[in-house]
Amino acid sequence: LTNLAKMEQNMGRYDEAESLLRKTLAIREKTLGPAHPDTLSSVSSLATLMRAMGNLQESEALHRRALEGKETVLGPRHPGTLATLNNLANLLRVL
C-alpha cells in the first residue's frame, strides 16, 4: 500500500495517497505495534505527505513522533533516524 500511496502522491492525488498511508499506518500499528521500524516508516511517509499538502503542523508532529521512536528503537546514529531528523529540520526551516 505504501508504494501505491507514493505513486498517488507523485501523480498529485494527495487525498488518495493520504487515505492509503493512514490505512497502512493503522494496519502496522495494530499488527506490528507503534514502535516497530516499519510502523515508524509509515509515520514518516505520512509526515512527508502532510508537508506536501501544506499541513505543516501535522507534518511536524508526525516527524517528531517518528524521530522519537527511531531514536529509541534504532538508536540516534542509525541512518533511518538521521534521515528523519533531516526531514524534521527541513520542515522547521519553512515554519
Side-chain angles (χ1 to χ4, degrees):
L1 288 175
T2 301
N3 289 337
L4 181 57
K6 288 181 181 184
M7 184 184 75
E8 294 286 2
Q9 181 177 347
N10 290 338
M11 293 172 35
R13 299 179 189 166
Y14 295 137
D15 291 338
E16 292 88 347
E18 180 182 2
S19 177
L20 289 166
L21 287 176
R22 289 192 187 280
K23 182 176 182 177
T24 301
L25 178 57
I27 291 168
R28 287 183 170 174
E29 286 175 328
K30 184 175 181 179
T31 59
L32 303 174
H36 191 279
D38 290 345
T39 304
L40 298 171
S41 290
S42 291
V43 173
S44 291
S45 294
L46 185 57
T48 300
L49 177 64
M50 289 297 100
R51 179 178 178 176
M53 293 176 71
N55 191 341
L56 303 183
Q57 280 67 37
E58 184 173 4
S59 178
E60 180 183 358
L62 289 165
H63 277 307
R64 289 186 185 280
R65 174 183 166 192
L67 179 61
E68 182 179 319
K70 289 180 181 184
E71 285 177 336
T72 301
V73 174
L74 303 174
R77 295 177 186 240
H78 187 278
T81 304
L82 296 174
T84 301
L85 178 61
N86 185 65
N87 290 339
L88 176 59
N90 285 330
L91 173 67
L92 293 175
R93 284 186 0 202
V94 300
L95 287 179

